[in-house]
Structure formats: structure tokens, C-alpha cells
Amino acid sequence: QVYKGLDIITNKVSPQEQRLCRHHMISFVDPLVSNYTVVDFRDKAVPLISYIFARDKIPIVVGGTNYYIESLLWKVLINTKEKPSSAPRPDGDRKVELEQLDSAELHRRLSQVDPEMAAKLHPHDKRKVARSLQVFEETGIPHSEILHQQQEEEGGGPLGGPLKYPHSCILWLHADQAALDARLEKRVDDMVAAGLLEELRDFHRRYNREKVAENRQDYQHGIFQSIGFKEFHEYLVSEGNCSPETSALLLEKGIQALKQVTKRYARRQNKWVRNRFLKRPGPNVPPVYGLEVSDLQRWEEDVLKPALEIVESFIQGREPPAEPLRMEQDEKENKRSHRVCELCDRLIIGDREWAAHTRSKSHLHHLKKRRKLEASGRAGGTVGDIGDTQTSDEDGSLPL
């Protein structure tokens, strides 16, 4: 929502709603700026929060991009270079340059300068690996060492340094999965009805057509990361160059893809809240209050009334009537364990991720395929690598 224009695809707050309450950090970055980062966001948002407090008002941070919210709650980001202003950095960002390298080469370089960070990051996660390399190159200090320093500060914890705003609280609106999926599908239909395709066509004509023609389209940075661009790319570049029937099929394909990726993103958002806020208790984690939004007919009773009571309690310095959410943490869980699934040729990091992988459709498909090969090998009386392979564990995972 920081980018100018594209109000529909980014689900911006309507002008009518903005007149009810002053909004900030909306529509101020040129869409062609590709290296606007969470650091730029934080450096503009923090002074605004101070300005709101100075006027005896309560700043409310609204969002779905939880990483950006974390940058305001904790001391977690690293300034690698002094910037003359809060404007986005010029082209030639070192991190973007590093991301052009091969994944294996990137991870090898990081292993040489910061083996601890390299062990935590998946070799295919080029963006995080490149960021850690950038931190080392521009500070001379391993990324992992800087993170340890932040966590060891007074009031620090697993999520980073101390809370910037000790009296903050989190209101988490969550819904039954079926209700949420239906609502998200309807939202996409409403976006199309509101003129989404016209908005995308206009943006493609003004900003994207030249990049596509020169084969330098990048859907990994800037506004082009937004959900909706990749999904309609095929439709936009072929419109006018194919039959109406083909164009209609590509349009429907884009709409369905947008619905799927939107639902997937919502699941990731909820997973982030559970893993980052609820399963990592510590002295620097603000309380999280759950508000059930499955039934919009009960908005007043289930959402608005309890939210107001919680916020008023915080303002008055007393305990809210609602209890914050808590989730039990598995002390034995290893979030940094490394396992290689030779069957799927994948490296999996983390116990929970490994358990999820062994239950995944792709893994079970490969497992079923291998068992068929083993059975046919035994029936034919052959002996070899397939026949000699160990049997799988009960949970469907393979022994290492």
C-alpha cells in the first residue's frame, strides 16, 4: 500500500474511510522504485509514531505483512549504511546484485564468513542468504553476531532486541478456515467487479510493457511482488495477440490463480502469528488477543466491543477483561534441524517442517512410486539399489 496508484490490487483503504481517521504510509512511493525495503518503511514509520504520541493520540498499526510490523515492535533490523534521508536507496542495491548469483555459490560464500547463519538458512532462500552476506560485507560483522548482540540487550529475547513500545498489544482477527476462504474468494470477485483488470492493464501499459519486451521483468522486487501481477502476466502480455477464446481462458486462469495465492498467503499470515508471537514466549513479546471474525453478523459482539474494552484497559493501566492467547511450546522441538529427503531431493530445516514434509502430497507420491518400483523389482527377482533400500518409517519419512 506504500506504492502510488494500484488501489484495487493492494486493497487500499477507501477515501471515505480515510476521512474518518487519519491514515499514514499510503501511496507515497513511486511504483518503479524496486528497492524499497522494510528498513525504509521503519525509518519513516517510527518518527510518525512518535509524532502521534506527542499529540496524545494512539498509533494503530494495521497490516498483514507481519515482518513489517515486527520491525516497529522490536529492534530487529540492521542498518548497514548511513542514508542521507529516509528516501529509498538508489539503484544498484548490493543485495539485489548478490541475488543474481547461483544459490549454491551464495550459500558457500555465507558459510565462509558466517557459518552459524548459513546453518540456519536454507540454501535455496536466496533473499535471506543474500541479506546476510550484505550485512557482513557492509559492516564487517557476521549477521549472526549482530543478532546475538540485539537479543542479549536488556529486555531482549528470542525475537530480537527489546520492545520499542513496552505497552503495546496485538489484536489478532482470525476466522474459521472455510469462512475465511469463502470471504477471500468473494473479495477477488469484488476486486474484478471494481475494475481490477482496467487497473492492471493501465499499469502494464505505463510501467511493465517495456520491461517485458526487453525480457527484464522481475517479479521478486518492489510493487511487482504484490499478489496479482504474476497471476495475470500471461493474460496481459497476450491480450490482443490471441483469439478471444484464448484470452478468456487466460483471464479465468488468472482469476483462479489469484484466489488460490490469496488464500495461501492468508494461511501464511496466521502461521506467522502462531509461530512468532504465540509459540515463542518471552519477556519481550506483547500480549496477543484473539478476535473471532467468522460470523460478520456478530461483528459488534465478537470484535468491536471486546477490542474497545482491551484497548481502554491498556490506556487506563488495568488488566483487560479478556485473557491473551497462549500456546504450548514444544521444548524438544528443534527449529534448526537439517534433514535431507533423498526421495524428494530436498533439504528440510526444522522438526515441524520435516513432519509437514513427510505428510505432504509430493512426498507421499514419491514414496508410493518407489514402493511400486521395489515391488516390481522383487517380483522380477532383481537385486540393486532399489531393492536394497531400507523401508520407510511409520510416519512415512525416510531414514537418513
Side-chain angles (χ1 to χ4, degrees), residues 1 14 46 54 62 104 118 125 164 189 192 257 295 319 328-329 396:
Q1 298 196 7
S14 69
V46 168
V62 183
D125 195 343
K164 293 178 184 176
D189 292 333
V192 173
D295 184 0
E319 285 293 317
E328 291 185 9
Q329 184 183 18

Side-chain angles (χ1 to χ4, degrees), residues 60 71 99 142 157 162 174 236 241 265 272 277 301 313 391 398:
I60 302 172
S71 76
E99 287 177 20
H174 58 89
L236 291 170
N241 300 316
Y265 183 63
W272 185 294
F277 296 152
E301 305 97 310
S313 298
T391 57
L398 293 176

Side-chain angles (χ1 to χ4, degrees), residues 124-138:
H124 293 164
D125 195 343
K126 292 182 72 172
R127 301 188 70 172
K128 288 185 179 179
V129 174
R131 173 57 180 163
S132 291
L133 265 177
Q134 179 195 22
V135 168
F136 177 78
E137 288 183 1
E138 297 181 356

Side-chain angles (χ1 to χ4, degrees), residues 200-209 212 236-237:
L200 286 174
R201 282 193 197 101
D202 180 60
F203 187 84
H204 178 70
R205 184 178 64 254
R206 287 188 293 145
Y207 298 108
N208 205 28
R209 184 175 290 169
V212 171
L236 291 170
V237 299

Side-chain angles (χ1 to χ4, degrees), residues 38-99:
V38 65
V39 175
D40 298 309
F41 173 84
R42 180 206 61 187
D43 290 348
K44 186 174 178 65
V46 168
L48 277 169
I49 291 173
S50 299
Y51 168 68
I52 294 169
F53 274 132
R55 291 165 41 233
D56 284 335
K57 302 291 184 181
I58 304 295
I60 302 172
V61 181
V62 183
T65 310
N66 298 310
Y67 182 48
Y68 279 62
I69 295 175
E70 285 193 18
S71 76
L72 303 180
L73 287 174
W74 292 281
K75 182 180 178 181
V76 291
L77 300 180
I78 299 166
N79 290 329
T80 55
K81 285 183 177 179
E82 289 295 323
K83 300 197 298 293
S85 71
S86 61
R89 288 178 289 280
D91 291 336
D93 191 303
R94 177 56 178 157
K95 179 172 171 284
V96 176
E97 293 174 8
L98 288 168
E99 287 177 20

Side-chain angles (χ1 to χ4, degrees), residues 321-336:
E323 284 288 323
L325 297 174
R326 290 184 176 85
M327 294 185 73
E328 291 185 9
Q329 184 183 18
D330 185 355
E331 298 295 337
K332 296 180 181 179
E333 179 187 345
N334 184 350
K335 295 180 176 63
R336 299 301 179 188

